[in-house]
Amino acid sequence: RKEVEQDPGPFNVPEGATVAFNCTYSNSASQSFFWYRQDCRKEPKLLMSVYSSGNEDGRFTAQLNRASQYISLLIRDSKLSDSATYLCVVNRGYGGSQGNLIFGKGTKLSVKP
Amino acid sequence: DADVTQTPRNRITKTGKRIMLECSQTKGHDRMYWYRQDPGLGLRLIYYSFDVKDINKGEISDGYSVSRQAQAKFSLSLESAIPNQTALYFCATSDRLGSTDTQYFGPGTRLTVL
């Protein structure tokens, strides 16, 4: 099983649509979970951290299921500006390298007018 | 001004040349990282440093070396560049004292080795 696995997409959706991305991770010791956003040829930027209780930031909702080692991101009322690649990220969670992050390869979202 | 800066932003060089990529940060973070990103392969960790005296290899350190000159500066060197080191390179920082492991990225250096 890959350390962090995501559907690469692309997800092509119309403006206003709701879209969901999923991610699985293999390391049960991981303690920190994130979604990063990356625009073409730009640096990854933190979109939101993911907490066990689930969390919401405006149109974005993230969920974590530790038992299934599964993370999700829901985007409601998609905007053209949401077009980007979304990276699922977890930490290694053990030993001296516990601060190190493992990045998924990303899911590409394209929002069309 | 950006919190994490990288120089140069773009570089074209020839096989066998020595190249240094530089990263500076004003965030006051202890931890710094170098990644490379290739299409279809995602971000891969090259080296990381948890403080000035601590340097560690990542998953793809062969062909690279690093120097942590100060808390705010972390340089990546390619001693003898080869074409398969053509990639987008990112520097990142994180805070040892933070409650999470959030990393903050520089704008990247696009390196082409001919």
Side-chain angles (χ1 to χ4, degrees), chain A residues 7-53:
Chain A
D7 180 345
F11 285 60
N12 298 307
V13 303
E15 269 187 296
T18 295
V19 61
F21 304 139
N22 303 317
C23 165
T24 57
Y25 63 95
S26 61
N27 183 3
S28 60
S30 293
Q31 297 295 321
S32 299
F33 309 90
F34 312 90
W35 284 100
Y36 275 72
R37 171 195 168 126
Q38 186 174 24
D39 294 293
C40 188
R41 296 173 180 252
K42 301 287 189 180
E43 71 272 27
K45 293 184 178 179
L46 178 68
L47 177 66
M48 58 196 304
S49 298
V50 187
Y51 304 116
S52 297
S53 55

Side-chain angles (χ1 to χ4, degrees), chain A residues 32 34 36 38 41-44 46 49 87 91-92 96-101 103-105, chain B residues 31 33 35 37 40-43 45 48 50 59 88 90 100-103 105-107 110:
Chain A
S32 299
F34 312 90
Y36 275 72
Q38 186 174 24
R41 296 173 180 252
K42 301 287 189 180
E43 71 272 27
L46 178 68
S49 298
L87 308 178
N91 81 332
R92 291 199 178 275
S97 63
Q98 69 182 67
N100 287 357
L101 301 181
F103 288 79
K105 295 179 182 179
Chain B
R31 299 180 172 187
Y33 310 80
Y35 294 88
Q37 188 173 38
L41 294 180
L43 282 160
L45 183 63
Y48 62 100
F50 282 179
E59 57 185 298
L88 184 54
F90 289 107
T100 71
D101 302 308
T102 305
Q103 291 185 14
F105 285 79
R110 185 165 296 279

Side-chain angles (χ1 to χ4, degrees), chain B residues 33-83:
Chain B
Y33 310 80
W34 275 105
Y35 294 88
R36 66 177 280 175
Q37 188 173 38
D38 300 271
L41 294 180
L43 282 160
R44 293 183 291 167
L45 183 63
I46 306 172
Y47 270 95
Y48 62 100
S49 170
F50 282 179
D51 64 43
V52 175
K53 297 180 181 179
D54 178 75
I55 303 289
N56 303 279
K57 293 182 177 181
E59 57 185 298
I60 54 162
S61 59
D62 287 349
Y64 301 94
S65 62
V66 290
S67 173
R68 184 82 185 266
Q69 300 97 321
Q71 186 201 40
K73 296 183 182 296
F74 193 34
S75 300
L76 176 72
S77 293
L78 288 68
E79 297 300 326
S80 180
I82 55 177

Side-chain angles (χ1 to χ4, degrees), chain B residues 5 21 24-26 29 33 39 44-45 79 88 98-99 104 114:
Chain B
T5 58
L21 309 183
S24 294
Q25 53 112 347
T26 58
H29 288 171
Y33 310 80
R44 293 183 291 167
L45 183 63
E79 297 300 326
L88 184 54
S99 59
Y104 301 89
L114 301 175

